[in-house]
Amino acid sequence: EILMAEGDLPQARQKLEESLKIRTEIEQTSNAAGTRLQLAALSIEEGKAADAEHAARRVRDEYRREAHPDDEISADAVLLQALHAEHKSSEAEMEAGNAKTLVARSQNVLNRMSMAIVGAQIQAASGKPEQALQNLSIAAGDAAKCGLVLDQLEARLARADIELNFGKTAVAHAELATLRTDAAGKGFVLIARKATALMTQERQSR
């Protein structure tokens, strides 16, 4: 996760695949599932959302069979991220709805935060941008209170992305410029790169 946050995707994949091989060989089933889920999240960053969707479904179903609800939610979050990246809005809405009860019962702050962020992204893609922006502001505030720096940055990035998509260009640019500086300064290179990419993409579309 650290290597991925730092933007070193090839090295992150190498380390995760090595870890998966070892855990599979010594039959650490639950740990292997967690590593496969990390690889699925990495696949999204690599632009292979379809692969991520398939892998996240398999891990989610495995956790469900073993009755590990918090792990199941973590897999649901990655699955929803993959579906969002594939622009499968209807399917993402359905999966998010199916996971609501499980998330509401969870005391895992990280899982709840991940689901709040991706849930808001799905809301925006389904035509509810104002509600999504409000939910992301809440998520960013909650993350800050809990000291969850990466989640706060991701919520801000998602908010700026939605603002760009729905014509709030000046606000989004100001947020992205600040976000890029904040993320780079804290070592979250991948977030900084994404902020730069959104600003560049928007300028090129003019």
Side-chain angles (χ1 to χ4, degrees):
E1 289 186 3
I2 293 173
L3 288 168
M4 186 160 67
E6 291 175 345
D8 192 345
L9 303 187
Q11 187 68 7
R13 176 162 290 281
Q14 181 181 333
K15 293 293 184 183
L16 285 170
E17 288 179 346
E18 288 172 357
S19 175
L20 179 60
K21 181 179 179 182
I22 292 169
R23 286 171 171 170
T24 302
E25 286 174 353
I26 61 177
E27 297 183 350
Q28 286 189 348
T29 307
S30 60
N31 288 336
T35 304
R36 293 203 311 275
L37 190 60
Q38 286 180 292
L39 282 164
L42 178 58
S43 291
I44 297 172
E45 302 298 346
E46 294 171 330
K48 297 180 286 189
D51 292 345
E53 178 193 345
H54 178 69
R57 285 189 188 281
R58 288 185 61 190
V59 174
R60 191 268 307 273
D61 292 346
E62 185 175 324
Y63 284 143
R64 184 175 289 171
R65 286 194 302 271
E66 296 173 356
H68 293 164
D70 279 325
D71 290 330
E72 183 180 335
I73 294 169
S74 67
D76 271 322
V78 176
L79 173 59
L80 291 177
Q81 289 160 11
L83 291 171
H84 177 65
E86 293 179 277
H87 307 290
K88 294 182 176 180
S89 298
S90 298
E91 195 169 345
E93 273 194 296
M94 181 188 70
E95 292 288 358
N98 291 341
K100 268 187 178 180
T101 301
L102 205 60
V103 174
R105 293 174 181 164
S106 176
Q107 298 300 312
N108 187 303
V109 177
L110 289 172
N111 277 347
R112 290 173 69 93
M113 191 62 61
S114 295
M115 291 295 282
I117 293 169
V118 72
Q121 291 173 305
I122 291 166
Q123 282 179 324
S126 302
K128 303 169 188 172
E130 294 303 329
Q131 185 178 348
L133 290 172
Q134 182 180 0
N135 288 339
L136 285 168
S137 293
I138 293 170
D142 289 344
K145 290 175 187 175
C146 296
L148 302 174
V149 179
L150 179 57
D151 290 288
Q152 183 189 17
L153 295 172
E154 287 182 339
R156 289 170 59 190
L157 181 70
R159 182 179 171 86
D161 188 18
I162 292 168
E163 287 167 342
L164 277 179
N165 287 333
F166 287 90
K168 299 185 177 185
T169 307
V171 175
H173 272 192
E175 173 64 19
L176 287 169
T178 305
L179 175 61
R180 179 172 58 183
T181 301
D182 291 348
K186 292 178 171 69
F188 294 100
V189 178
L190 187 60
I191 295 285
R193 282 182 191 164
K194 289 180 178 181
T196 301
L198 281 176
M199 294 173 75
T200 304
Q201 173 186 314
E202 199 281 331
R203 282 197 299 269
Q204 290 176 343
S205 68
R206 289 185 175 185

